[in-house]
Amino acid sequence: KKMIKTVAIVGRPNVGKSTLFNSLLASRKALTSANPGMTRDRTYAVLRPAKGKKCLLIDTGGMLPGTKDSMAEKINIQVEAALSQADFIIFVVDAREGLMPLDSEIAAKLRKTDKPVQLIVNKADEPSHEMIMGEFYSLGFENITPLSAMHKRNLGSCIEFVSAQIPPDTDKEDKEIRRVLSIAGKPNVGKSTLVNRISGEERVIVDSMPGTTRNPARCPAMLDGMEWELVDLAGMWRKKRGKAAEDVISMMASRKEIENSDVCILLMDLTHELTFQDKRIASWIIESGASVVAAGNKSDMIGKKTDLIKAYEESFRHYMPYFDFAPFLLISAKSGEGMNKLFSMVNKVYENSHKRISDEDMEIFLRKALKKRPPPKAANERPQVLSLRQTGINPPCFTLLIRHIRLDKIQESWKNYIRNSIYREFDFYGVPIKIKMKKYKSRKRK
């Protein structure tokens, strides 16, 4: 199998790596902020620099060579991993600040890799900023481009460099990953450990300090033979006063990522009781329309205490009754316990979300459901249900055609009865089914 070429964006903190990443993709996949240190993990995306060419673009945390700080040390490990994966490198420096000692240290590290390097002198917003270009030549790289990632000035030169490193894509099929799996949960439940377990390597930083992940980190992963784009969301906390702007941005980005997910794993900590924040995150998943698998993590820490496990699941079902459609699994991201079951369940739930039920099967189902429980009277008139059809997938949507003067008066509990019956009858486990009611309008004869 032909491997896709990989390019890593590296540099010291706050030189504009994530802004360049977003500009190259013409998207906002990486969070950006004026404060250094927003990007801590590697973020992946497919870049198409020219027709028939594509590569994997990696955004990395700011490099801090030789530092003893624990978090900085872990960022360096992430950058080292990205460099080892990369076929070529985009090295970003800052035109406004000029050449810094840290730039020279990073340059020395890059020269040892023997890989093609494009030196980007970022924040060169005006031609006058190019006057200091000369000092950057001392870093020893031939390809030097002044540009402004924020204003997209001279961005074409960077894209041309990337394109020149990539052979034309001869695959007739576009094999780009389209299935998105996100992992949501409050801080410190083990999301990053689970991402690393699924991807089989240290993709994201794991730290016992809550809030380590700020930027949703993404990477490709294979689950039980199915290809996914895996997204580790920032720990989702309850809104409080005095939160840093970066935390608020990161929270909003996490909610957006859930909306864009095909399947979301709601991760909870078996060693702690369920909290309001678990419930809040669960409601965001429901609102997003993403399919879901609920997983209790850290099963290795409670061993075979079946009473405790049973009590936790009962508490989960009681505390989150609107999650009764979701499978609940016990796992240990640390030891790997329950992983195979989790992988097959994620794939099964994804398949469920794309399932289509024929009109004939829906008609047979509707007759049985109405016989068992017809809709109660509303506005002194019994609604007449004419048909039930599936009108959408991912999430599956079903439309009831009803003859009645006031659809808004039809009891919600009867709608829930139809929804729950569809779950059971057609095995839509893990998928938030949507039920719509449409008013029957008779065609008047002219």
Side-chain angles (χ1 to χ4, degrees):
K1 186 184 175 182
K2 182 176 72 63
M3 293 298 288
I4 187 170
K5 293 282 183 184
T6 302
V7 55
I9 302 175
V10 301
R12 61 185 169 82
N14 214 31
V15 291
K17 296 182 297 299
S18 295
T19 306
L20 179 61
F21 180 84
N22 289 337
S23 295
L24 288 170
L25 293 167
S27 76
R28 295 182 61 82
K29 282 211 171 174
L31 304 180
T32 55
S33 162
N35 295 340
M38 260 314 262
T39 305
R40 295 171 174 186
D41 305 308
R42 285 169 282 162
T43 299
Y44 293 70
V46 173
L47 172 68
R48 299 176 183 278
K51 193 174 180 182
K53 291 186 175 186
K54 66 180 176 184
C55 66
L56 198 61
L57 189 64
I58 312 177
D59 183 22
T60 61
M63 289 178 80
L64 298 163
T67 178
K68 297 287 183 216
D69 178 314
S70 164
M71 181 57 67
E73 217 173 275
K74 287 176 178 176
I75 291 173
N76 287 340
I77 292 166
Q78 288 296 314
V79 175
E80 293 283 359
L83 290 179
S84 67
Q85 280 185 345
D87 296 293
F88 51 103
I89 295 149
I90 295 173
F91 174 28
V92 187
V93 292
D94 189 327
R96 291 180 201 161
E97 292 186 354
L99 183 62
M100 305 291 275
L102 207 48
D103 295 325
S104 301
E105 281 186 54
I106 294 167
K109 195 183 278 277
L110 296 183
R111 281 197 301 270
K112 286 177 190 171
T113 64
D114 245 5
K115 292 177 179 179
V117 175
Q118 165 85 324
L119 178 62
I120 295 296
V121 183
N122 191 27
K123 305 184 189 178
D125 304 331
E126 300 164 15
S128 59
H129 287 136
E130 293 177 27
M131 299 291 285
I132 60 157
M133 285 291 290
E135 63 181 320
F136 290 111
Y137 280 97
S138 66
L139 293 173
F141 300 110
E142 286 178 25
N143 303 305
I144 302 186
T145 303
L147 62 75
S148 169
M150 184 171 279
H151 301 113
K152 298 182 173 58
R153 179 177 177 266
N154 227 1
L155 196 64
S157 301
C158 184
I159 293 170
E160 279 171 26
F161 166 78
V162 172
S163 183
Q165 311 300 319
I166 306 167
D169 189 0
T170 53
D171 290 352
K172 287 183 181 175
E173 287 180 49
D174 182 2
K175 293 180 181 174
E176 187 180 334
I177 301 167
R178 285 190 174 85
R179 288 179 288 270
V180 179
L181 171 65
S182 61
I183 300 174
K186 61 187 182 185
N188 226 25
V189 293
K191 296 183 299 299
S192 297
T193 308
L194 181 57
V195 170
N196 290 339
R197 168 66 62 179
I198 292 172
S199 63
E201 59 168 296
E202 292 291 319
R203 291 277 191 182
V204 291
I205 295 167
V206 178
D207 199 284
S208 58
M209 184 180 73
T212 304
T213 304
R214 276 185 177 171
N215 211 344
R218 30 178 108 241
C219 59
M222 192 70 78
L223 272 72
D224 216 16
M226 199 181 271
E227 210 175 349
W228 288 85
E229 182 181 88
L230 191 58
V231 185
D232 174 25
L233 304 180
M236 304 176 84
W237 32 264
R238 202 174 162 184
K239 280 188 181 176
K240 289 179 185 173
R241 285 182 185 174
K243 278 283 178 191
E246 283 82 1
D247 289 328
V248 176
I249 295 169
S250 129
M251 172 81 139
M252 289 162 63
S254 291
R255 290 196 63 177
K256 189 76 183 165
E257 289 292 349
I258 291 175
E259 286 172 23
N260 294 335
S261 300
D262 292 294
V263 180
C264 183
I265 296 174
L266 173 63
L267 201 62
M268 296 162 289
D269 187 341
L270 290 169
T271 63
H272 289 86
E273 286 184 5
L274 287 166
T275 64
F276 172 80
Q277 191 52 13
D278 289 307
K279 197 171 183 178
R280 167 83 62 90
I281 294 164
S283 69
W284 288 336
I285 296 170
I286 297 286
E287 284 168 26
S288 76
S291 299
V292 66
V293 176
N297 191 27
K298 306 185 184 177
S299 62
D300 56 306
M301 293 176 75
I302 58 170
K304 302 292 178 190
K305 296 174 184 171
T306 48
D307 291 350
L308 198 66
I309 293 163
K310 193 179 176 188
Y312 193 94
E313 183 168 2
E314 281 174 2
S315 168
F316 167 70
R317 296 294 182 197
H318 172 74
Y319 207 46
M320 303 182 196
Y322 45 81
F323 246 60
D324 57 355
F325 69 92
F328 178 82
L329 305 174
L330 295 178
I331 65 162
S332 169
K334 195 174 179 181
S335 73
E337 185 185 329
M339 284 298 121
N340 289 340
K341 200 169 182 184
L342 177 68
F343 295 172
S344 61
M345 186 56 78
V346 165
N347 288 345
K348 175 80 168 73
V349 163
Y350 175 80
E351 285 163 5
N352 284 352
S353 72
H354 288 75
K355 194 185 291 184
R356 281 196 181 275
I357 311 300
S358 70
D359 292 351
E360 292 79 13
D361 286 344
M362 289 312 307
E363 282 302 314
I364 294 164
F365 162 79
L366 182 62
R367 282 200 294 272
K368 283 197 299 185
L370 291 176
K371 191 175 180 183
K372 191 174 178 183
R373 186 175 165 183
K377 275 189 177 182
N380 293 322
E381 183 189 324
R382 190 175 292 279
Q384 188 182 356
V385 183
L386 302 174
S387 69
L388 175 62
R389 297 278 187 274
Q390 184 172 358
T391 48
I393 59 166
N394 195 27
C397 186
F398 294 86
T399 301
L400 284 158
L401 184 63
I402 299 175
R403 183 186 278 138
H404 193 262
I405 51 168
R406 292 284 301 274
L407 294 187
D408 59 312
K409 294 290 183 183
I410 296 173
Q411 285 182 18
E412 197 66 29
S413 60
W414 183 78
K415 254 174 81 177
N416 289 339
Y417 156 71
I418 294 293
R419 181 188 290 109
N420 294 335
S421 300
I422 290 172
Y423 277 127
R424 287 190 296 272
E425 182 74 20
F426 300 108
D427 185 27
F428 275 107
Y429 213 34
V431 183
I433 289 174
K434 293 186 184 297
I435 300 283
K436 291 179 181 176
M437 292 190 294
K438 187 179 173 184
K439 194 169 185 176
Y440 173 76
K441 292 177 183 175
S442 59
R443 291 178 182 174
K444 291 178 182 176
R445 291 178 184 175
K446 289 183 181 178

